[in-house]
Amino acid sequence: MNPRSLRISLVLPYVLLVSMVAMALGTTYYWAARNNIGLFSDQYMRETASHMAQAVHFHVRGSGSVLEAAFPEGIVTHPDIAQDLNELRTRFWVATSMYANPNDYVYYGNEAGQSIALKRRADDEVELRLKLRPELHRTYYRYTGIRGRVVATGRESGNLDPRERVWYQLAQNTARHVWTGVYIDFTTQELVVTRARRVLAQDGTFIGVVATDVSLREISRFISSLNIGDQGRAFIVERDGKLIAATGLANLGLSVDGKPIRISTENSHDPVIKAAYLGVSGLLDPAGHDPQSGDDQEYRTTVHDEQGRLITVAARRIVDRAGLDWLAVVAIPRDALFVGIQRQIWLALGISLLAVLLTILIGMRIFGRVARDVISLSDAISRIRRGDRHVPIDVRRRDEVGDLARNFQAMQSDLSMDRMTGVSNRAAMDSLLDHLTQDPRGQPFAILFIDLNDFKPLNDQYGHDNGDKALVEIAQRLKTCLREDDLLARLGGDEFVIVARGISTPQALDALKTHLLSRIEAPLHSLDDIPPGRPIHLGAAIGVACWPTDAATANDLLRAADIDMYRHKDFARCR
């Protein structure tokens, strides 16, 4: 045997062995990465559905307080609205100022066919709609200031009897708050839902119904902003299949005569939405869950759409004690979850095998590089799935694996970061609070609930772009006041929460609050087109709650801080 034949006979078994090992390792890495990607995607979908449900609860949470402010339980109410007119004006003014977005409209109708409504037009201007005799049309008035002079502006064209309205008829026979179905507001051409509660006379007999409208415009904007890929869909839907909001899809259409109509999952012409709703609605058992419990339920399933594609679905049933019963659904075609990774792995295997045949060194380097990146991505995804929200995904490729890594980095950021300000979001805060409050040996900590003052006037006068810049600047200022292990989260709107570990004494908390207020109240420098010599300031009310002295659970702790914040805000208004 010549030397060349000898070398071939010695090298060939080794090449074959390395090739088999490479194929085995590549297959193992592929299925491990595929499994972890599937698990992470499932978690991402479930958390996105949970965020959607949280957004709905946050959006409608003030409506109950608005009704109680307009008609507190046990208040003496007369059968004739004229006897309580001045007091009603005052209470309705306060009620519509509490959560002006979205609860800027409060109204009341009684058994005598009378009605009164207050629509907030601006911070200091409202429209009063009054009907003191059932046969008369409502008269519209405008006035400025809580006790401003009333000026008549017109009369309604139709004669609306409150006793014939859906909200009135739903609320009159139940002692609790009730929701109407979602409907199209005839003035704004947007989706609205109404919350109502009956009102009793001093002797306990039914006398009328108070109600408030909740615009769903912001819910639709939030759902449209979600990033779940071109083929994925996120949507909120009523139990009867009518859409409230959806990514990439309008919630209203036009009838043959040009009038706006609701779009349902059935007539949406979107195969993913149709299949996902049918799959989830089949899991709902009305007898197995009481919506009045106020507890959301989670559902997961897989379905096939009209094209035969397998769809992964995660859903959250959104319920509250007033009878709200909606579904938050996230649906992604299964093949869209693995676009790129499958092709890249098999391509890498083919290249590596060819490289092994040409040269073991070059082949192993090529395959090793791909395998290392896939293992790094798989390991990072596994850690994220176990709850670590700050895992770096160190893959710098420019191919499909790199695209996939960057997509998961974007998903990871969405799960824990507020997009506008760059601080943590509600989900990251909830995760930390759950961790801290579930450790019986944990160190005491405090949360500070911050609600900015004068933000809405800034927004209205200088524009939403300046409002966003103000929020970003305030967030950056607050971060400079914190330590490395403290957390700053934006709840939404102009509300922030700080989780300060190891701080529980009144002196330390007062010092931190003073420092925070001084930073917040300093003039803003990031706004555009502000007249020279006119410094713009914001203020804040800060509520504090300490664990475990003020509350034992995360929700109770946050609620205690919220209540304390409103106590400070009310005190500041009375000064």
Side-chain angles (χ1 to χ4, degrees):
M1 181 178 293
N2 58 49
R4 182 177 181 182
S5 299
L6 179 60
R7 285 197 303 271
I8 292 175
S9 65
L10 290 175
V11 170
L12 184 58
Y14 180 63
V15 170
L16 293 175
L17 177 61
V18 171
S19 300
M20 294 175 63
V21 171
M23 291 181 65
L25 289 176
T27 302
T28 301
Y29 295 150
Y30 166 70
W31 286 110
R34 183 183 177 96
N35 183 57
N36 282 323
I37 290 169
L39 291 172
F40 174 75
S41 299
D42 179 69
Q43 179 188 358
Y44 177 75
M45 291 171 63
R46 288 188 290 111
E47 291 208 24
T48 300
S50 178
H51 293 168
M52 293 162 64
Q54 289 175 1
V56 171
H57 285 303
F58 184 83
H59 190 68
V60 305
R61 68 170 185 169
S63 56
S65 300
V66 168
L67 294 186
E68 296 307 317
F71 266 94
E73 288 282 356
I75 194 168
V76 176
T77 304
H78 296 93
D80 184 358
I81 286 178
Q83 297 183 60
D84 299 324
L85 186 55
N86 289 333
E87 186 178 351
L88 285 170
R89 279 183 53 189
T90 301
R91 294 206 307 265
F92 280 26
W93 178 284
V94 173
T96 55
S97 67
M98 295 174 61
Y99 299 93
N101 184 12
N103 299 109
D104 62 351
Y105 186 39
V106 176
Y107 45 97
Y108 167 70
N110 64 15
E111 281 291 85
Q114 300 174 313
S115 68
I116 181 173
L118 199 73
K119 175 73 173 180
R120 186 163 291 275
R121 296 300 184 184
D123 283 347
D124 206 37
E125 182 181 0
V126 295
E127 181 177 78
L128 177 68
R129 304 170 182 178
L130 185 62
K131 174 179 179 175
L132 296 180
R133 293 169 57 186
E135 68 275 11
L136 296 180
H137 295 200
R138 289 195 301 181
T139 301
Y140 284 23
Y141 304 89
R142 287 283 184 108
Y143 63 94
T144 301
I146 191 169
R147 302 200 183 279
R149 186 173 65 88
V150 176
V151 178
T153 59
R155 188 180 293 271
E156 201 165 50
S157 59
N159 186 8
L160 300 179
D161 190 331
R163 297 167 295 185
E164 298 175 356
R165 312 301 288 176
V166 172
W167 52 271
Y168 192 97
Q169 295 170 359
L170 284 174
Q172 66 181 343
N173 295 319
T174 179
R176 60 177 176 81
H177 290 220
V178 295
W179 290 103
T180 66
V182 178
Y183 59 94
I184 303 174
D185 185 272
F186 68 93
T187 56
T188 64
Q189 304 299 305
E190 294 178 340
L191 293 185
V192 172
V193 64
T194 297
R195 184 169 185 156
R197 176 179 63 79
R198 71 181 185 181
V199 175
L200 303 180
Q202 190 171 14
D203 60 1
T205 58
F206 171 73
I207 195 172
V209 174
V210 61
T212 183
D213 291 348
V214 180
S215 168
L216 303 181
R217 179 178 59 253
E218 296 301 326
I219 293 294
S220 184
R221 288 179 178 174
F222 171 75
I223 299 302
S224 297
S225 72
L226 294 177
N227 177 21
I228 56 172
D230 294 337
Q231 299 184 49
R233 296 290 182 269
F235 59 98
I236 296 178
V237 63
E238 291 184 278
R239 287 290 302 278
D240 61 3
K242 291 182 179 178
L243 286 174
I244 296 172
T247 55
L249 188 68
N251 54 18
L252 294 178
L254 293 177
S255 64
V256 292
D257 56 357
K259 295 182 179 179
I261 57 173
R262 299 281 304 278
I263 291 179
S264 69
T265 56
E266 181 61 30
N267 64 18
S268 67
H269 306 298
D270 189 300
V272 174
I273 287 180
K274 291 170 63 175
Y277 171 72
L278 289 175
V280 174
S281 61
L283 300 176
L284 301 177
D285 180 11
H289 180 67
D290 178 15
Q292 305 310 320
S293 66
D295 298 325
D296 292 350
Q297 275 189 316
E298 183 179 81
Y299 303 89
R300 285 177 289 167
T301 187
T302 55
V303 296
H304 288 87
D305 66 6
E306 297 169 348
Q307 304 169 7
R309 293 184 302 173
L310 187 63
I311 311 294
T312 301
V313 183
R316 196 88 175 179
R317 188 174 179 186
I318 309 170
V319 298
D320 69 3
R321 299 184 186 280
L324 192 72
D325 195 359
W326 298 347
L327 284 173
V329 184
V330 180
I332 302 178
R334 179 63 65 90
D335 55 8
L337 296 175
F338 303 104
V339 171
I341 185 66
Q342 184 171 350
R343 183 177 63 177
Q344 178 64 25
I345 289 294
W346 289 115
L347 179 62
L349 283 173
I351 293 174
S352 66
L353 290 175
L354 179 61
V356 167
L357 294 174
L358 296 175
T359 166
I360 295 176
L361 179 60
I362 296 176
M364 289 305 295
R365 286 188 63 186
I366 294 175
F367 182 80
R369 189 176 303 154
V370 175
R372 184 169 57 253
D373 287 341
V374 173
I375 292 172
S376 174
L377 177 59
S378 176
D379 178 66
I381 293 172
S382 295
R383 291 171 60 191
I384 293 172
R385 180 169 54 86
R386 292 194 297 268
D388 190 345
R389 294 180 178 268
H390 305 286
V391 180
I393 300 179
D394 189 21
V395 177
R396 298 184 177 89
R397 303 178 64 86
R398 295 181 179 273
D399 51 22
E400 288 87 350
V401 172
D403 291 340
L404 185 64
R406 284 185 286 275
N407 286 336
F408 276 108
Q409 283 177 320
M411 289 182 181
Q412 180 186 7
S413 177
D414 284 345
L415 290 176
S416 59
M417 182 180 294
D418 178 66
R419 296 181 186 179
M420 179 190 299
T421 61
V423 302
S424 297
N425 62 12
R426 176 67 178 265
M429 182 200 71
D430 288 343
S431 177
L432 176 62
L433 289 179
D434 287 340
H435 172 72
L436 294 177
T437 56
Q438 290 171 9
D439 184 0
R441 296 175 298 177
Q443 294 296 317
F445 66 93
I447 66 171
L448 295 88
F449 197 113
I450 303 171
D451 184 80
L452 300 182
N453 296 334
D454 302 321
F455 177 74
K456 189 175 186 303
L458 185 152
N459 237 353
D460 293 342
Q461 185 172 358
Y462 298 108
H464 292 286
D465 288 342
N466 274 329
D468 293 347
K469 291 179 180 180
L471 290 176
V472 172
E473 183 175 347
I474 292 296
Q476 296 307 311
R477 291 182 186 180
L478 294 176
K479 287 174 64 176
T480 64
C481 302
L482 306 182
R483 301 162 302 173
E484 184 176 353
D485 61 344
D486 294 337
L487 177 136
L488 171 64
R490 179 177 175 237
L491 295 190
D494 57 356
E495 294 180 335
F496 294 84
V497 168
I498 292 174
V499 180
R501 305 193 197 190
I503 295 181
S504 59
T505 65
Q507 295 81 3
L509 288 171
D510 286 342
L512 178 57
K513 286 175 60 177
T514 300
H515 188 35
L516 292 171
L517 287 172
S518 68
R519 297 291 293 141
I520 293 171
E521 294 169 353
L524 296 168
H525 302 294
S526 61
L527 309 187
D528 295 330
D529 301 324
I530 304 300
R534 182 182 295 177
I536 306 301
H537 304 263
L538 291 178
I542 303 179
V544 177
C546 298
W547 183 86
T549 56
D550 294 330
T553 67
N555 285 338
D556 290 342
L557 194 65
L558 192 63
R559 188 178 299 111
D562 191 15
I563 292 172
D564 187 52
M565 182 273 292
Y566 273 107
R567 182 173 61 82
H568 285 285
K569 185 178 287 285
D570 291 340
F571 175 77
R573 289 172 178 167
C574 296
R575 294 179 59 184

